[in-house]
């Protein structure tokens, strides 16, 4: 059995350089060459998982099929690789410490002093190697969050240093991503920050094998040579990543820069012809040469920070490309919509999406949006809280249930059309009562949902506490909002739709988490298709 190969990606100079995209792009190229690969993210923050983080701080919380609340970079990994990730793919410092402290309490360390080295670093190394168990993967890529030099990153960097030593040079490659800024006053790109960043890594005992230089301007070979010389890296192993118009071009860029070849050579793996990237190129070709153009309103309360809706936005790239359509997303703040201005604010949009969310802020604007879409026959996709708002709206305005609401927002409502189901009526630790991860859903033949998916049983990912209240099911159906998807085990409502409407589908789950480049999500694809058919 061949050894598993490890690739570590660190970042220097600044955050937000797109380490996740570079890592996912390299993984894509290696996967296209036939290797089985996975990507792991190590996050240096102390939250046990990102589930409790405010989206304003850290963007969207991405949910895996096995129900882990993870960093949004895992979404990129899945969108690029089209293979599911799991809890093991995202480890935070909080989780590492939690597990070490639990072991200490259990007496596992037999009275020894518990320290960052070796106990925390051993736990980190164990988590990195865990993914390699079962021989599922040939290559494991590990992205270290944060920036080299941060206090928080030190135990991770030390763990990488130790692993490089333990695994040997041909089983391990370390890639360092840095920024090469352009100073317009001097008319020059500057390599000094990169040199300092590599020095910092060297102080921690890691000599990077490959450098990826992020830059807004093309860099000449003189810069590459200079960086290679001063950072002690082969010239060929200095790779440039300049700005591209879509993140999906990065794998092709890295292919041109031969990043995959350099890495394979360093890992002593055969380097043959280029990997087949035809479907990927076709995807980009359709994305960049659309035949149609639509404007979709995305109504939510975090619109100032589009990262909060990352997966939804990317799902529109995938479904747009599938339809040869440029999808312009108009971000609309749900707090800005009221009964008086809805017509003005929402008019002219080809489709409306009401976003997921928690809590009452902006809820009225979301309910009004659902009403506008229903009454004006505008294609509508409601996602999780968006679905719940559509249900509340229908109850109030069609079933005349005045004050109908979700008990999340109004616990005293006379018509709790969205409510906690019995088994969830216990509030324990933050996060633990949520329905998280993949659940089966049976689709009802003859419905829009069934037509869209083309099959009877699907699995979709969830992240919510509240549910459609089945007490009202028949009344809704009798007045035109039907259930088209239901959980076969619990009978919980997963999809509602309005058959009399052009395209009105609202889902309790999150389709956006499972849309990928090669497998765009059918709900988004069909929604965009309908929006094009004005
Ligand atoms: N706040 C709602 C619930 O908990 C919806 C959550 C969401 O949109 N993901 O049920």
């Amino acid at each position: 059995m061949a050894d598993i190969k490890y690739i570590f990606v660190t970042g220097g100079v600044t955050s937000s350089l797109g380490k996740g995209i570079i890592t996912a792009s390299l993984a894509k190229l290696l996967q296209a060459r036939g290797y089985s690969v996975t990507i792991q993210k190590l996050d240096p923050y102390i939250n046990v998982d990102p589930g409790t983080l405010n989206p304003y701080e850290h963007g969207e919380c991405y949910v895996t099929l096995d129900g882990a609340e993870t960093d949004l970079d895992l979404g990129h990994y899945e969108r690029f690789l089209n293979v599911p990730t799991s809890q093991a793919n995202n480890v935070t410092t909080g989780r590492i410490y939690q597990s070490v402290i639990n072991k200490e309490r259990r007496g596992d360390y037999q009275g020894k002093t518990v320290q960052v080295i070796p106990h925390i670093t051993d736990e980190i190394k164990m988590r990195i190697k865990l993914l390699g168990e079962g021989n599922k993967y040939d290559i494991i890529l590990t992205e270290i969050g944060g920036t080299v030099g941060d206090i928080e990153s030190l135990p991770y960097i030390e763990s990488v240093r130790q692993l490089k030593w333990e695994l040997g040079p041909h089983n391990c490659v370390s890639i360092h991503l840095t920024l090469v800024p352009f100073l317009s006053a001097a008319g020059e790109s500057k390599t000094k920050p990169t040199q300092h960043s590599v020095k910092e890594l060297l102080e921690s005992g890691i000599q990077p094998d490959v450098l990826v230089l992020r830059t807004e301007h093309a860099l000449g070979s003189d810069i590459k040579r200079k960086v290679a010389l001063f950072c002690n890296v082969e010239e060929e192993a200095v790779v440039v990543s300049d700005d591209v118009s879509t993140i999906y071009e990065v794998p092709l860029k890295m292919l041109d820069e031969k990043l995959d070849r350099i890495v394979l050579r360093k890992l002593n793996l055969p380097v043959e012809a280029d990997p087949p990237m035809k479907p990927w190129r076709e995807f980009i070709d359709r994305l960049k040469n659309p035949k149609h153009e639509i404007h979709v309103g995305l109504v939510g309360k975090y619109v100032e920070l589009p990262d909060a809706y990352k997966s939804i936005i990317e799902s529109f790239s995938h479904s747009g490309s599938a339809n040869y359509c440029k999808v312009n997303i108009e971000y609309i703040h749900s707090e800005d919509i009221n009964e008086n201005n809805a017509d003005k604010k929402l008019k002219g949009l080809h489709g409306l999406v009401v976003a997921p969310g928690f809590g009452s802020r902006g809820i009225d604007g979301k309910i009004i949006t659902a009403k506008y879409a229903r009454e004006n026959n505008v294609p509508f996709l409601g996602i999780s809280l968006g679905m719940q708002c559509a249900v509340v709206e229908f109850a109030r305005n069609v079933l005349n249930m005045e004050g109908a609401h979700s008990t999340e927002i109004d616990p005293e409502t006379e018509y709790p059309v969205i409510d906690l189901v019995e088994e969830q009526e216990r509030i324990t630790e933050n996060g633990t009562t949520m329905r998280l991860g993949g659940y089966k859903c049976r689709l009802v033949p003859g419905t829009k949902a069934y037509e869209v998916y083309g099959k009877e049983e699907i699995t979709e990912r969830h992240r919510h506490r509240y549910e459609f209240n089945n007490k009202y099911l028949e009344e809704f159906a009798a007045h035109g909002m039907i259930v088209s998807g239901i959980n076969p085990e619990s009978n919980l409502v997963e999809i509602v739709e309005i058959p009399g409407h052009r395209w009105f589908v609202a889902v309790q789950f999150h389709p956006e988490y499972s849309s990928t480049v090669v497998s765009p999500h059918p709900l988004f694809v069909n929604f965009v298709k309908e929006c094009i058919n004005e």
Side-chain angles (χ1 to χ4, degrees):
M1 187 68 226
D3 287 336
I4 297 169
K5 308 284 186 179
Y6 291 85
I7 298 171
F8 297 101
V9 184
T10 53
V13 184
T14 72
S15 55
S16 308
L17 288 181
K19 250 188 325 225
I21 303 295
I22 293 287
T23 311
S25 299
L26 173 60
K28 178 77 230 169
L29 296 174
L30 297 172
Q31 183 195 51
R33 286 177 178 273
Y35 293 105
S36 148
V37 298
T38 190
I39 316 176
Q40 179 183 45
K41 173 94 190 266
L42 304 183
D43 274 314
Y45 47 75
I46 298 177
N47 304 62
V48 172
D49 61 48
T52 52
L53 280 173
N54 184 335
Y56 280 128
E57 295 238 347
H58 211 76
E60 162 191 280
C61 169
Y62 185 76
V63 178
T64 58
L65 211 46
D66 67 343
E69 296 178 280
T70 71
D71 186 85
L72 57 72
D73 269 321
L74 269 79
H76 289 308
Y77 306 162
E78 290 203 17
R79 290 188 278 273
F80 276 57
L81 298 182
N82 200 40
V83 283
T85 53
S86 69
Q87 178 68 72
N89 294 75
N90 190 198
V91 176
T92 68
T93 295
R95 195 169 286 272
I96 298 276
Y97 271 80
Q98 190 180 50
S99 136
V100 168
I101 290 168
N102 286 345
K103 285 182 188 167
E104 187 271 334
R105 293 288 84 186
R106 275 204 315 260
D108 291 7
Y109 298 116
Q110 296 173 341
K112 290 227 161 55
T113 310
V114 181
Q115 294 176 295
V116 173
I117 299 172
H119 301 100
I120 295 295
T121 47
D122 279 355
E123 185 73 25
I124 295 173
K125 288 195 291 179
M126 188 272 284
R127 301 277 176 151
I128 293 173
K129 289 195 194 153
L130 201 64
L131 271 178
E133 281 178 8
N135 289 319
K136 260 178 32 204
Y137 303 109
D138 307 315
I139 305 174
I140 295 171
L141 295 95
T142 301
E143 177 193 345
I144 318 275
T147 308
V148 166
D150 293 349
I151 292 176
E152 290 94 335
S153 307
L154 282 174
Y156 293 106
I157 303 289
E158 168 61 12
S159 305
V160 171
R161 186 195 68 74
Q162 292 185 17
L163 273 177
K164 278 194 87 170
W165 184 83
E166 286 169 21
L167 297 165
H170 294 304
N171 290 325
C172 230
V173 160
S174 74
I175 301 178
H176 190 52
L177 175 69
T178 71
L179 174 74
V180 174
F182 180 78
L183 292 190
S184 43
E188 269 181 331
S189 296
K190 292 295 186 186
T191 65
K192 195 73 88 191
T194 298
Q195 295 179 42
H196 279 298
S197 182
V198 170
K199 220 180 201 171
E200 185 101 43
L201 255 187
L202 280 168
E203 272 173 26
S204 307
I206 296 178
Q207 164 68 56
D209 303 297
V210 179
L211 291 176
V212 179
L213 310 180
R214 280 285 293 119
T215 162
E216 289 176 357
H217 296 260
L219 296 179
S221 56
D222 52 326
I223 297 269
K224 273 196 182 190
R225 201 178 158 72
K226 188 170 170 190
V227 169
L229 176 66
F230 291 115
C231 298
N232 225 3
V233 172
E234 285 174 72
E235 202 175 330
E236 194 197 31
V238 179
V239 161
V240 174
S241 168
D242 48 7
D243 285 355
V244 280
S245 58
T246 135
I247 54 169
Y248 298 109
E249 276 183 87
V250 180
L252 301 179
K253 192 101 208 170
M254 291 302 100
L255 181 64
D256 288 346
E257 286 283 312
K258 303 190 172 53
L259 177 61
D260 56 331
R261 287 172 173 264
I262 296 152
V263 166
L264 288 172
R265 182 164 59 71
K266 291 195 180 285
L267 291 173
N268 256 1
L269 291 170
V271 184
E272 288 140 16
D274 274 347
M277 293 292 286
K278 194 161 170 255
W280 198 270
R281 286 185 199 281
E282 286 169 354
F283 165 82
I284 292 173
D285 194 51
R286 290 193 304 267
L287 198 63
K288 292 179 99 176
N289 301 294
K291 296 183 183 137
H292 314 279
E293 181 164 3
I294 57 169
H295 294 262
V296 170
L298 174 60
V299 179
K301 65 172 171 177
Y302 298 116
V303 289
E304 304 92 328
L305 184 78
D307 262 5
Y309 301 116
K310 193 86 205 158
S311 293
I312 295 179
I313 296 165
E314 297 308 326
S315 298
F316 276 117
S317 288
H318 311 152
S319 52
S321 167
N323 283 293
Y324 288 90
C325 179
K326 178 169 168 43
V327 181
N328 300 292
I329 300 177
E330 310 294 340
Y331 300 96
I332 303 170
H333 205 299
S334 46
E335 282 180 304
D336 291 346
I337 300 177
N338 55 49
E339 289 282 4
N340 301 326
N341 67 9
D343 271 351
K344 211 166 118 224
K345 287 229 175 251
L346 304 175
K347 203 182 167 85
L349 293 165
H350 299 97
L352 287 166
V353 177
V354 174
F358 291 83
S360 58
R361 188 164 69 91
I363 198 87
D364 292 337
K366 290 185 169 183
I367 295 170
I368 292 165
T369 304
K371 178 169 186 252
Y372 177 90
R374 181 177 59 78
E375 289 182 345
N376 293 283
N377 213 19
V378 177
F380 175 86
L381 175 61
I383 302 177
S384 205
L385 183 63
M387 172 265 202
Q388 299 175 354
C389 289
V391 167
V392 166
E393 187 281 314
F394 197 85
R396 289 183 186 176
N397 300 318
V398 180
L399 306 180
N400 295 320
M401 297 175 176
E402 206 185 317
H405 224 318
S406 159
T407 51
E408 178 184 9
I409 320 294
D410 179 5
E412 308 301 325
T413 173
E414 200 181 326
Y415 303 103
V417 287
I418 303 290
D419 200 3
L420 287 177
V421 301
E422 228 150 71
E423 68 201 72
Q424 289 176 314
E425 279 180 9
R426 59 196 157 88
I427 299 300
T428 51
E429 266 180 83
N430 216 353
T432 53
T433 57
M434 276 213 250
R435 187 143 75 105
L436 278 170
Y439 283 87
K440 282 193 185 128
C441 167
R442 189 172 311 124
L443 303 177
V444 181
T447 60
K448 174 71 77 192
Y450 186 88
E451 176 197 321
V452 165
Y453 282 91
K455 55 182 168 186
E456 208 153 316
E457 194 170 279
I458 55 166
T459 296
E460 291 281 6
R461 301 182 204 186
H462 293 248
R463 182 175 185 248
H464 57 98
R465 291 192 178 81
Y466 294 81
E467 309 280 352
F468 184 96
N469 187 342
N470 281 354
K471 194 172 107 185
Y472 298 100
L473 220 141
E474 280 167 22
E475 217 175 329
F476 271 74
H479 290 84
M481 180 179 267
I482 60 158
V483 171
S484 52
I486 201 141
N487 182 308
E489 278 126 31
S490 59
N491 271 337
L492 291 172
V493 169
E494 310 286 37
I495 315 179
V496 295
E497 58 183 76
I498 300 179
H501 187 284
R502 236 178 101 191
W503 206 103
F504 194 106
V505 180
V507 293
Q508 183 56 79
F509 50 79
H510 291 265
E512 71 275 21
Y513 292 145
S514 43
S515 184
T516 73
V517 166
V518 298
S519 183
H521 196 285
L523 269 175
F524 283 91
V525 174
N526 203 270
F527 174 75
V528 169
K529 192 167 163 215
E530 183 60 33
C531 294
I532 296 169
N533 292 335
E534 239 177 296

